[in-house]
Amino acid sequence: MSLDHLKPEIETIVANSDTNVDERLLKICELLEANVSHYDWVGFYFRNGDKEELKLGPYVGEPTDHTIIPFGKGICGQVAVSNENFVVPDVSAQDNYIACSITVKAEIVVPIFVNGENIGQIDIDSKTPDPFTEADERFLEFVCKKVSGIL
């Protein structure tokens, strides 16, 4: 399934006010992981109150010990500081990488902005080396923009 074909499903999930925000975020994770072959772990991290750290939100994939990530640490922590997308074609080539699993080969993280403030991000791990394209980046920016409307 092409990424553009998933956009209406994302919009439907986000618009479903019969479920709470975490349930909608989990449904987005499930949709992406089930329909994009190179999305092996899909989750959301959010700023943990006033602390300079991220807290794990809804996700699908292998369990992770990384439920709290300090700003600046790992790919997610760097995105919390840079406010920019971070595409990592080969995680083994990154000095500041937090390994969740030895099977992860690549990662993409896209920030979520609410009123111009970076309040979280979507994080996707892949067991496929260098799988992420500009299409993935643009699609995940779309997802984050839709998600920001319910936060």
Side-chain angles (χ1 to χ4, degrees):
M1 180 178 281
S2 85
L3 296 174
D4 284 339
H5 286 90
L6 293 174
K7 287 182 176 181
E9 293 188 57
I10 295 291
E11 290 175 324
T12 299
I13 291 168
V14 167
N16 183 1
S17 57
D18 291 338
T19 58
N20 69 38
V21 170
D22 279 355
E23 290 170 328
R24 287 184 261 177
L25 294 176
L26 182 59
K27 286 207 176 300
I28 289 170
C29 293
E30 291 168 344
L31 176 75
L32 298 184
E33 190 269 339
N35 289 283
V36 185
S37 62
H38 57 279
Y39 289 10
D40 297 306
W41 190 98
V42 180
F44 289 95
Y45 281 93
F46 293 100
R47 184 181 186 114
N48 191 9
D50 291 335
K51 298 176 184 171
E52 295 284 305
E53 64 185 23
L54 297 165
K55 185 175 182 180
L56 180 61
Y59 74 94
V60 294
E62 294 178 24
T64 179
D65 293 334
H66 303 113
T67 57
I68 299 290
I69 298 176
F71 280 17
K73 182 93 169 115
I75 307 308
C76 291
Q78 290 177 75
V79 169
V81 174
S82 74
N83 299 320
E84 295 178 3
N85 299 351
F86 199 155
V87 180
V88 182
D90 177 5
V91 296
S92 69
Q94 283 292 316
D95 290 338
N96 189 1
Y97 173 71
I98 301 172
C100 292
S101 166
I102 58 168
T103 62
V104 174
K105 303 294 184 211
E107 182 174 9
I108 185 170
V109 179
V110 176
I112 301 168
F113 295 96
V114 174
N115 298 324
E117 183 184 350
N118 180 350
I119 57 94
Q121 54 203 227
I122 192 167
D123 176 23
I124 298 176
D125 291 344
S126 182
K127 296 175 182 176
T128 306
D130 196 12
F132 302 114
T133 66
E134 187 170 330
D136 290 290
E137 222 176 324
R138 298 295 83 80
F139 172 69
L140 294 171
E141 287 170 349
F142 166 86
V143 171
C144 288
K145 186 170 183 170
K146 293 298 175 186
V147 164
S148 73
I150 61 171
L151 299 175

